[in-house]
Amino acid sequence: MGASIKDTASSVRARKAKRAGIPLSAGMILVTLGVVYGDIGTSPMYTLKAIMSGNGGLATMSTDVVLGALSLIIWTLTLITTVKYVLVAMKADNHNEGGIFALYSLVKKCGKWLIIPAMVGGAALLADGILTPAVTVTTAIEGLRTVDFCYAVIGDNQNIVVLVTIAILCILFAMQRAGTSTIGKFFGPVMTLWFLFLGVSGLVHVIGNVGILRALNPIRGITFLFDGNLNAAGLMVLGNVFLCTTGAEALYSDMGHVGKSNIYASWPFVKTCLIINYLGQGAWILANNANGQLMGVADLNPFYQMLPEQLRVFAVILSAFAAIIASQALITGSYSIVSEAVRLDLMPHMRVNYPSETKGQIYIPMVNNIMWVGCIGVVLLFRSSNHMEAAYGLAITVTMLMTTVLLFTYLSKIRRQPVAAVPFLLIFGAIELMFFFSSLTKFFHGGYVTVLLATAIFIVMYVWRRGTAVERTQTVFLPVDKYLDQLFSLCHDNEVPYLADNLVFLTNDSSIDKLDRDILYSILDKQPKRAKAYYFLNVQVTDEPFTHEYIVNNFDTDFLFKVQLRLGFKVNQRINTYLYQIVADLVENNQIAPQNHKYSIYRTHSAVGDFKFCLLRKVISPETDLSGVNYRVMELKYLIRRVCGSPAKWYGLESSSILFEYVPLFSKKKSQHKLTRVNLLDAEPSSPKRLDRSAQAAPTSADDDEDIFSATMRDNRESNIIDTFKDLVGGDTASFKPLVIDNEEDDEDEDEEEEQELYGSSEADADSPVPDEQQ
């Protein structure tokens, strides 16, 4: 009995450890500093500079102005980054993954319309991820001009800056395949030195003017914001203040890469260094706001000016490295966002690599290449950082607004805390709306590029999601046992030539006893395919790195097998090799007859025969009855699918025997005219008779798992199901519940209940004997 309790307790702890994600460690804290904080860590280089420039220059920076501007910066960092993202958003993780799509996956059952803010926010964040590396790297290279020996090389020739920037971007994106952990270990020490430098350089000036700490009073910021005598820019100053928190979303998006515990541990250090540096810049401004010589300096930057001249070379070089590293936060965040979008069927399936032993640290080659090309395009278009910075921050305000909407839903509907949810929405909604409208002034100065990029990404999501909804109106899953007699007869029909010993169909259907109608149609109706054995293979990626498992349902036959192959995320998915092992096991266990070949290059002939893999792809046929919009959507979806590559490459089938077969998409078949034969001398043709056939149907899904795309197709789906099953063998079902591989839906309450059952309801009962009914 004691051993049973111990085993069950271990399973509870194992599930909790699995949910805990990447553990807290000194090494991962270093990785976190190098991966997550690059964008927000470089904000002191330009935030106060932008505010001072927008307010009229150094001469206008009186004590009240400086304290007010610093107060806005400090409380923006506190409210947006610390409260919203670190304290609230990071609690809303989806199996340790963060980001707007991970958040949407938690709340999608609360409203069909929630998919829209998720798509808008995700598209805006990905667009900002393309712009940020171009801006930061270009700014870094231009900053080298302040060093004499660098200026001697670069001079005012912007072509050199562009070429160096492109070269650095190429190196940066090429390094991504090494993995987040490897990059973080390289970047981490540099960013640690950077934050220490920020803190020390600011602390020197704060000690010289302790009164600058009055900026910690939020009343100073509110007064400055609404007092026209102090703030010449009005509410538009928020567009510059917002620059201090542009990397906040990366904290949430990169949670799966580094683990939330490591962000919790490192953020206080990062925030302290940032605030001290801002206060130091403010103290330097107050000490020099009457300096006539400095007033004549063009594009005055207090970040560099407050440093002694002998340290500026070091500061410029270090800031150049920090600015380059700042791109990393957006790049890794983009991988996480796209990965979540693929899981939600908002983007096409893409090859995902796992460079480390942790599943959260991923690398997506196609996303990396698209961002690579996009960043270089932005550099070539704008050429200088001044033009790029005009677009900076506009898209991220949209993402923050959409995240606020989803977090409100999460707090009110999932956590059932409306008392906290309503103030959260009102406070952060108002703050971010002000940031958004102030950032709109950047639209015609470069912000339109970010908007165009976000729109293009949104269109991809819209097309893929709506196209999937159209496809589901015609997908039918049929019970395999209704077709066993026909498949048995086909296997033994000598009039039909053998196509292969083993015919394999890849399917994303994870049920055990059903098949997509298109597969059965391909075998039986579309040039009957005779084989000794048929395999319907579904591949599942597990959360463990090196899982090698499979389950098989043979339907009490020796010729038909539904196989689910479970591979760890670090395992190379060369399914032809694994399938050969599976068939060999079946032969050894006498579940299938040996497939001996008469001819072979080997002395000992294998008992396993040859394989042919059949890959089905849906295409739009002339008979498909779709509206104009849906027709174009499906055309675009299949175009996107072709660009994203073939499953043959993902599953290592390049050297295998593959049969590509295209099946028509019949959302609803067009009414066809029946031809009537007319005699040669007959001048009056007969009236045609109309055919009324519906060709496709789809599985129904629970209403609480629908979105606005699938909901609009519900009537078509139900109508097609009724019409389709009139002619199908065994057509009494069109839906199934997929097999659950890793049940990660257990929440903390369930674990607590299990622990209570194991140990008792309180510590006082921990040593009490186990009741008889539990033994």
Side-chain angles (χ1 to χ4, degrees), residues 76 133 188 256 264 357 377 413 554 659 667 732:
T76 296
Y264 287 144
E357 299 300 314
K413 299 294 181 64
N554 64 358
L659 173 63
S667 176
D732 57 351

Side-chain angles (χ1 to χ4, degrees), residues 12 16 27 78 106 169 199 201 247 280 321 378 398 405 458 460 466 497 528 542 583 607 610 615 631 636 668 701:
V12 173
K16 282 190 172 183
T78 300
L106 296 176
L169 286 173
S201 60
F321 278 107
V378 169
V398 176
V405 172
F458 178 83
V460 171
R466 181 162 180 165
T542 69
V583 176
D610 60 86
L615 304 181
Y631 192 91
L636 282 174
K668 185 176 181 183
S701 59

Side-chain angles (χ1 to χ4, degrees), residues 582-654:
I582 293 172
V583 176
D585 288 345
L586 294 175
V587 172
E588 184 178 349
N589 294 322
N590 298 318
Q591 293 181 275
I592 187 173
Q595 301 171 337
N596 295 313
H597 277 196
K598 183 177 180 181
Y599 306 102
S600 174
I601 64 173
Y602 300 104
R603 296 182 184 274
T604 303
H605 293 194
S606 173
V608 179
D610 60 86
F611 291 83
K612 184 174 283 291
F613 294 86
C614 187
L615 304 181
L616 302 182
R617 306 296 291 269
K618 291 185 183 294
V619 294
I620 301 177
S621 67
E623 294 84 8
T624 303
D625 187 12
L626 288 174
S627 66
V629 174
N630 286 337
Y631 192 91
R632 299 304 174 194
V633 164
M634 297 310 302
E635 284 187 324
L636 282 174
K637 176 173 182 178
Y638 293 152
L639 175 62
I640 295 169
R641 184 185 64 188
R642 287 196 297 272
V643 172
C644 290
S646 168
K649 185 175 181 181
W650 304 334
Y651 296 123
L653 299 177
E654 301 95 327

Side-chain angles (χ1 to χ4, degrees), residues 370-423:
I370 291 174
M371 293 183 66
W372 191 342
V373 173
C375 287
I376 292 176
V378 169
V379 172
L380 293 176
L381 176 64
F382 288 108
R383 294 183 60 80
S384 70
S385 62
N386 288 336
H387 296 148
M388 296 180 197
E389 288 171 358
Y392 199 42
L394 176 59
I396 203 67
T397 59
V398 176
T399 301
M400 287 186 174
L401 276 169
M402 299 301 104
T403 302
T404 297
V405 172
L406 296 179
L407 280 174
F408 166 75
T409 306
Y410 175 79
L411 292 173
S412 60
K413 299 294 181 64
I414 305 300
R415 289 297 184 184
R416 294 183 175 87
Q417 297 176 351
V419 175
V422 173

Side-chain angles (χ1 to χ4, degrees), residues 328-347:
Q328 186 62 44
L330 272 297
I331 295 172
T332 55
S334 297
Y335 297 152
S336 299
I337 292 166
V338 172
S339 176
E340 289 290 334
V342 170
R343 293 181 201 173
L344 294 169
D345 212 7
L346 289 170
M347 283 189 173

Side-chain angles (χ1 to χ4, degrees), residues 35-36 176 180 183 253-254 257 327-337 362 371:
V35 170
V36 175
Q176 298 303 315
T180 305
I183 295 173
S253 300
D254 282 335
H257 289 263
S327 307
Q328 186 62 44
L330 272 297
I331 295 172
T332 55
S334 297
Y335 297 152
S336 299
I337 292 166
I362 61 176
M371 293 183 66

Side-chain angles (χ1 to χ4, degrees), residues 22-38 180-196 257-259 261-263 265-267 269-270 325 328 361:
I22 301 174
L24 177 67
S25 68
M28 282 309 301
I29 289 177
L30 192 66
V31 171
T32 303
L33 290 171
V35 170
V36 175
Y37 299 115
T180 305
S181 181
T182 302
I183 295 173
K185 290 176 183 177
F186 175 74
F187 286 164
V190 177
M191 290 307 297
T192 302
L193 178 61
W194 169 254
F195 285 116
L196 289 173
H257 289 263
V258 299
S261 59
N262 295 292
I263 295 178
S266 56
W267 171 243
F269 164 71
V270 171
I325 294 171
Q328 186 62 44
Q361 297 177 11

Side-chain angles (χ1 to χ4, degrees), residues 17-25 28 31 95-97 178-182 185 254-260 262 336 339 343 352-363 541-546 568-571:
K18 185 177 181 180
R19 271 208 303 267
I22 301 174
L24 177 67
S25 68
M28 282 309 301
V31 171
H95 306 310
N96 306 308
E97 290 289 342
T180 305
S181 181
T182 302
K185 290 176 183 177
D254 282 335
M255 187 166 59
H257 289 263
V258 299
K260 65 168 67 176
N262 295 292
S336 299
S339 176
R343 293 181 201 173
V352 178
N353 295 336
Y354 300 89
S356 73
E357 299 300 314
T358 304
K359 189 177 181 182
Q361 297 177 11
I362 61 176
Y363 166 69
V541 178
T542 69
D543 289 335
E544 300 299 324
F546 298 106
F569 62 82
K570 286 286 288 182
V571 175

